[in-house]
Amino acid sequence: MQAPPLCYPGPLPRKDAAVLHIQVNGEDRNVTATTLTALVEELGLDPRKVAIERNLEIVPKSLHPTTTLTDGDRIEIVQFVGGG
């Protein structure tokens, strides 16, 4: 009996892209993003409206473009929503 195919939440990676295995808000994900900014874009979120914690440390917004992801990272993303 064959094992079922692995679930891939998110867009399929390019053939030349490396896939990282990370956790986002408690959910295991496979991503091709290499930085926090690229991850936010890959998830379809507005980078102006998020706060990010990487491995239990808050990452200042100014460092999102240069903070690289590695296999096993635990990312928590909070998205701010306006309302009234």
Side-chain angles (χ1 to χ4, degrees):
M1 178 184 226
Q2 282 187 326
L6 294 175
C7 178
Y8 187 86
L12 293 175
R14 297 181 327 264
K15 289 188 185 235
D16 62 340
V19 175
L20 296 175
H21 308 283
I22 64 172
Q23 194 175 80
V24 178
N25 294 348
E27 179 182 320
D28 290 334
R29 296 187 69 96
N30 297 320
V31 298
T32 58
T34 57
T35 65
L36 291 179
T37 297
L39 176 63
V40 169
E41 292 171 357
E42 188 170 316
L43 297 174
L45 302 174
D46 184 344
R48 299 169 297 165
K49 297 180 180 179
V50 297
I52 301 176
E53 181 182 272
R54 177 180 175 257
N55 300 327
L56 304 177
E57 292 186 22
I58 295 172
V59 179
K61 192 174 291 290
S62 63
L63 297 180
H64 290 184
T66 58
T67 301
T68 58
L69 295 170
T70 59
D71 263 342
D73 276 348
R74 292 187 330 209
I75 307 296
E76 294 294 325
I77 300 176
V78 177
Q79 185 171 5
F80 301 103
V81 179

